[in-house]
Amino acid sequence: MRLTTDKQSLLRALLAERVPSVCRDSFRTGLDCLDQLAPGGEFQYGAAHELLSDPRSPAPKTIALLLARAAQQQRVDKAGTNGGGAVVWSDPGHELYPPALLSSSPETSIDLRRLILLRCANPEDELWALAECLRCKGVSATVASISRLTQLEARRLQLAAERGGGIGLFMRPYTAKSHAPYAAATRWHVRPASGTEQIQRWSVELLHGHGGQIGKIVLIEVNRETRIVRASAPIADRSTPPQANRATA
Amino acid sequence: MLRHKPFVLVQTIGTRQIVVHVTSDELPDVHPGMSLAEAKGRCLGLPHFPAAPADDLRVLEAVGRWLMKFSPNVCIAPPSSIFLDAMGVERLFGGICNFRNRVASAINSLRLHAGVAVAPTPGAAWAIAAFGQNQNPVKNDNLSAALAPLPPEALRLDAGTVELLASLGIRTIGELVRLERKDLAVRFGAEILLRIDQAMGAAPEPLVFLEHHTPIRALLEFEGAVESLEVIHLAVRQLVGQVAQLLSRRGLGARELRLVFQCPYAPAVEKTIRLTRPSRNEPTIFNLLRCALDTMPLDDGVIAVQLHAVITQRFGDEQSQLIGGEEEQNAAELEHLVERLRTRLGGDVNGSVNWVELVESHIPERAFHFRDGPATVKLSPHHARIGEFRPLSLLPRPRAIKVIVTPSECLDGQPISFTDCGMVHRLHHVRGPERMTGEWWTGQHKTRDYFDALDTAGNRYWLFRVPETGKWYLHGTFE
């Protein structure tokens, strides 16, 4: 009997040791606090992820960049080669400033040779183009800022992502209707948080995501000097005004 | 404008700008090979333009193809010569004199200045066209007499040999051929003998003639106007099949295809699609055309459809894609995606689908430009060390804002709040200034002092002040 328990424990130990599968279907950002919130501790490939923000404040491009970069770096195709695929960034308003993609920290920089800028004249063309990009196996991440999206269109984009195996990252406004049914794998609410002279912070909350830690908040910060990106739980962050915390508690 | 004014073409070699071509003989002081600075010193106000040898070659080939209406055999000899095989074609033009005159007036009608000469050998024709005044066709019996007064460089010798001959006092071909052949070969090498023989007809000079191109196109005409989209799709599919067959017979792939619909009571509707790499794969081309069909106005019916492969490229490695791994398949899929997007959304450079390349400029909005393909060069070290953080969003034009600085009224003060579109942003922290001087050599000489400002809500903005005027602008947001 003793022998079998040994065998069982050995088996358990073997199973616990994660065998790296050749074709992965999820990725991590490497920021543990953020990954823990996501369903299963990982972000799904072949799915749409939505980043919601206050319509009056700027779109959460840094967070989108962080996820797009991680998705591109960890994309493994069947041949086993790592870090493949392009990032398509839909930028109809000519807003994105490409040199910034290189000047910031390594976690949020993208090889410009594998970044495609997409600029469509109208929203219909943009939705069509986004679906085409998501459906393409050569694209790891498709990033877009979408203000209006019907249920049907969202579902279509999600299906396209399932076919292509990349991720769709949609920056959308956070409105009262944002709690209605959705077709994305995860939805995050990103808000700017108070920072310091060197550090810019965002608070990121998981709104929806089956099996994730919904309602929990992490702070993501980018340091201007050291170029380090960190994620932390808000309590551990000492720079937030303590009075404000107590008042709300 | 420049037709009567001499100018020079300049090529950049390393860091030096070298004159490669002078358009006029009126500038005796300026000659090819000298630096641009020297040429400008000798001739004040001399206009110069960058040389484009690749474009020149394309133009030369185009002219050569155009001259095929005179002779089926046309050979282009870069940098600037074209040979026509006149054997047997002079009868069609009423004699060799008429033939020469027709060619000369045709070239004049293109507003090109060219010497035209007819001679029994290519070498002699070139010599007379380049240096001779003789308009009459040269025959075999007066060939050496026609060549004798011309300078030795008419034999297409290299510059060193020509200089040496000039220093020896040999001014004409006549003097040159009177010298002992053996001595010539010892003194100047075998090349000079070959050139003499080629001009005199003693040695053959093989010419490589331009290949004949018949356009690759397929046409389908209907008996009456057709409105059904299914029928049009079927017709296009059939045309794609025909064009693909023509392409594969010649070992070519299409880079640009033009689809033209003839409409009964309206001008023809056409659409051009471009492919990122040559292809003759029927489903690929058809899918692209189907994307294009979606946006074409064909409501009034169609009486004929034509498909034309406008630009083709040699292409033979169809098999390799089958062997290639998943990665290559994904790359191919990406290329198809870009083609599809461009077909539907239109445009290539500065169009809807672009890559980005960084350019060395410290004016922020000029630090990159768009490309229609991924940049091939790696980043220069300058970009590997962009020192400062840059905002992810940049306004297309900086927006004027009102800023309160401390100490107030001080032109070097730090901003403490700003008003943009009626919204007041109080600033918690400000980093800066980061000074960027203007590119005075392009006329944009205003200095900017940039500040990275964090407002109370946690948003970061990129502001700048123009010290010369004291005005403030919002240029971007760190998002």
Side-chain angles (χ1 to χ4, degrees):
Chain A
M1 289 315 269
R2 200 185 163 81
L3 199 69
T4 46
T5 51
D6 270 0
K7 262 187 181 172
Q8 269 170 357
S9 66
L10 192 68
L11 195 65
R12 221 176 294 129
L14 273 175
L15 283 176
E17 196 180 331
R18 281 198 55 181
V19 183
S21 66
V22 180
C23 195
R24 291 183 56 180
D25 53 1
S26 58
F27 65 95
R28 289 158 174 267
T29 58
L31 305 171
D32 288 340
C33 285
L34 181 64
D35 290 334
Q36 275 164 20
L37 298 197
E42 284 176 327
F43 289 82
Q44 286 291 316
Y45 275 118
H49 301 273
E50 291 186 359
L51 300 171
L52 310 183
S53 62
D54 180 7
R56 280 165 302 168
S57 71
K61 289 198 175 117
T62 305
I63 310 297
L65 199 55
L66 184 76
L67 292 175
R69 148 101 184 181
Q72 186 184 37
Q73 291 292 309
Q74 293 168 41
R75 183 82 182 268
V76 181
D77 56 29
K78 277 182 190 144
T81 47
N82 212 335
V87 173
V88 178
W89 196 297
S90 176
D91 181 34
H94 295 228
E95 280 178 350
L96 187 72
Y97 182 54
L101 300 181
L102 292 180
S103 69
S104 74
S105 57
E107 284 92 341
T108 58
S109 63
I110 286 181
D111 184 355
L112 289 183
R113 284 172 296 172
R114 289 199 279 151
L115 174 79
I116 299 173
L117 287 187
L118 183 68
R119 288 167 303 170
C120 304
N122 55 52
E124 292 82 46
D125 275 351
E126 188 181 6
L127 274 179
W128 172 84
L130 290 178
E132 289 290 315
C133 295
L134 286 169
R135 200 171 288 131
C136 176
K137 289 203 173 75
V139 177
S140 300
T142 307
V143 189
S145 184
I146 306 174
S147 54
R148 294 168 64 89
L149 193 68
T150 66
Q151 193 74 20
L152 192 69
E153 286 160 349
R155 181 81 192 127
R156 187 179 299 150
L157 291 178
Q158 170 67 26
L159 284 173
E162 281 171 23
R163 191 266 171 195
I167 62 164
L169 282 170
F170 303 130
M171 296 177 278
R172 304 189 55 195
Y174 181 79
T175 58
K177 284 193 223 157
S178 288
H179 291 274
Y182 58 97
T186 57
R187 303 180 106 188
W188 303 80
H189 187 192
V190 183
R191 278 164 292 194
S194 65
T196 67
E197 193 186 329
Q198 314 290 353
I199 295 169
Q200 184 172 12
R201 287 197 183 89
W202 295 267
S203 82
V204 179
E205 176 189 353
L206 182 65
L207 286 182
H208 296 125
H210 205 73
Q213 298 188 28
I214 292 167
K216 264 205 168 181
I217 295 178
V218 290
L219 281 175
I220 293 184
E221 62 177 50
V222 178
N223 192 316
R224 290 277 196 278
E225 291 297 319
T226 57
R227 307 286 155 93
I228 290 175
V229 178
R230 286 199 315 170
S232 54
I235 297 161
D237 182 61
R238 290 168 200 277
S239 67
T240 46
Q243 284 86 4
N245 266 357
R246 253 175 241 143
T248 51
Chain B
M1 181 185 74
L2 290 162
R3 211 176 306 147
H4 304 296
K5 211 172 168 189
F7 61 93
V8 293
L9 294 180
V10 179
Q11 197 170 14
T12 306
I13 298 167
T15 57
R16 280 159 52 91
Q17 289 191 302
I18 307 289
V19 173
V20 289
H21 189 74
V22 187
T23 54
S24 167
D25 299 332
E26 293 161 30
L27 304 170
D29 297 340
V30 181
H31 49 82
M34 64 169 42
S35 74
L36 178 64
E38 197 183 346
K40 290 231 170 188
R42 290 188 181 189
C43 181
L44 280 177
L46 180 69
H48 71 277
F49 299 95
D55 291 348
D56 292 348
L57 188 61
R58 258 208 315 275
V59 171
L60 192 69
E61 189 186 335
V63 174
R65 293 211 175 276
W66 186 72
L67 286 172
M68 276 186 172
K69 63 184 186 172
F70 292 108
S71 163
N73 295 332
V74 173
C75 164
I76 59 169
S80 58
S81 317
I82 299 175
F83 294 107
L84 270 75
D85 182 8
M87 179 74 86
V89 294
E90 79 274 12
R91 289 182 298 136
L92 302 171
F93 296 93
I96 195 76
C97 282
N98 277 340
F99 174 74
R100 187 212 160 271
N101 294 339
R102 291 280 286 277
V103 172
S105 62
I107 288 183
N108 275 336
S109 75
L110 292 179
R111 299 194 191 172
L112 295 173
H113 299 285
V116 181
V118 177
T121 63
W126 193 90
I128 297 164
F131 292 93
Q133 307 296 329
N134 191 357
Q135 302 245 330
N136 297 321
V138 177
K139 300 263 169 55
N140 263 329
D141 41 4
N142 62 355
L143 177 60
S144 37
L147 286 178
L150 301 180
E153 55 258 50
L155 289 174
R156 292 175 285 171
L157 302 173
D158 59 84
T161 314
V162 168
E163 213 167 293
L164 197 54
L165 284 169
S167 69
L168 292 174
I170 297 167
R171 308 262 172 237
T172 64
I173 296 176
E175 289 167 23
L176 183 63
V177 293
R178 270 199 293 279
L179 298 176
E180 198 64 36
R181 280 178 72 88
K182 207 165 65 188
D183 298 343
L184 277 179
V186 170
R187 192 74 179 78
F188 301 103
E191 163 122 18
I192 191 165
L193 292 182
L194 179 70
R195 287 303 193 189
I196 291 173
D197 289 347
Q198 280 178 344
M200 297 299 181
E205 182 174 358
L207 297 178
V208 181
F209 295 116
L210 288 176
E211 276 177 54
H212 290 266
H213 280 194
T214 42
I216 296 180
R217 56 163 72 122
L219 175 72
L220 193 71
E221 285 175 323
F222 302 114
E223 285 183 356
V226 168
E227 285 176 26
S228 149
L229 205 58
E230 284 84 22
V231 176
I232 292 174
H233 273 195
L234 212 62
V236 170
R237 193 185 285 272
Q238 199 180 330
L239 293 179
V240 170
Q242 290 175 18
V243 165
Q245 209 177 358
L246 287 172
L247 287 169
S248 77
R249 206 177 289 162
R250 296 195 200 169
L252 297 173
R255 285 294 303 273
E256 189 177 314
L257 289 153
R258 188 179 297 143
L259 186 64
V260 184
F261 290 99
Q262 301 289 346
C263 302
Y265 305 113
V269 182
E270 63 173 62
K271 178 92 181 182
T272 304
I273 60 167
R274 294 185 180 85
L275 292 93
T276 47
R277 63 170 164 198
S279 164
R280 52 171 181 256
N281 184 2
E282 283 181 46
T284 312
I285 296 177
F286 179 69
N287 282 337
L288 277 175
L289 289 173
R290 203 173 48 187
C291 282
L293 277 174
D294 291 348
T295 55
M296 293 174 82
L298 299 172
D299 304 330
D300 301 335
V302 168
I303 51 173
V305 195
Q306 189 190 46
L307 182 64
H308 180 193
V310 186
I311 297 175
T312 55
Q313 194 178 326
R314 195 152 288 286
F315 160 65
D317 49 354
E318 233 164 344
Q319 298 293 318
S320 68
Q321 283 186 28
L322 297 174
I323 315 165
E326 170 109 350
E327 192 188 7
E328 279 180 18
Q329 274 178 37
N330 285 355
E333 202 169 313
L334 186 64
E335 283 181 1
H336 290 321
L337 170 74
V338 171
E339 284 162 6
R340 263 202 316 280
L341 294 175
R342 283 193 178 146
T343 306
R344 162 100 176 236
L345 306 173
D348 27 18
V349 182
N350 291 328
S352 52
V353 187
N354 289 116
W355 277 260
V356 181
E357 183 182 43
L358 295 193
V359 191
E360 298 210 11
S361 167
H362 57 268
I363 301 287
E365 58 266 36
R366 294 207 193 145
F368 67 99
H369 60 72
F370 296 116
R371 293 174 55 94
D372 61 349
T376 44
V377 284
K378 275 203 89 96
L379 284 173
S380 70
H382 169 80
H383 288 114
R385 51 181 164 80
I386 290 183
E388 287 296 319
F389 245 75
R390 293 281 174 259
L392 271 170
S393 278
L394 202 71
L395 293 173
R397 293 181 67 83
R399 193 157 66 210
I401 49 171
K402 286 193 179 127
V403 174
I404 298 172
V405 295
T406 176
S408 61
E409 305 302 322
C410 175
L411 276 179
D412 295 324
Q414 295 267 320
I416 51 169
S417 87
F418 72 92
T419 313
D420 172 44
C421 301
M423 288 248 294
V424 180
H425 301 265
R426 300 200 156 277
L427 301 178
H428 250 178
H429 298 288
V430 175
R431 266 162 69 87
E434 183 189 354
R435 174 159 286 194
M436 293 183 199
T437 47
E439 292 181 331
W440 50 266
W441 57 95
T442 60
Q444 201 187 53
H445 49 79
K446 291 227 169 71
T447 307
R448 299 170 179 180
D449 283 343
Y450 276 94
F451 292 88
D452 170 358
L454 171 70
D455 76 354
T456 42
N459 295 316
R460 289 189 97 113
Y461 299 92
W462 210 36
L463 321 172
F464 72 86
R465 170 176 53 200
V466 179
E468 285 93 340
T469 61
K471 284 187 179 152
W472 284 86
Y473 298 90
L474 174 67
H475 203 182
T477 43
F478 297 88
E479 300 191 339

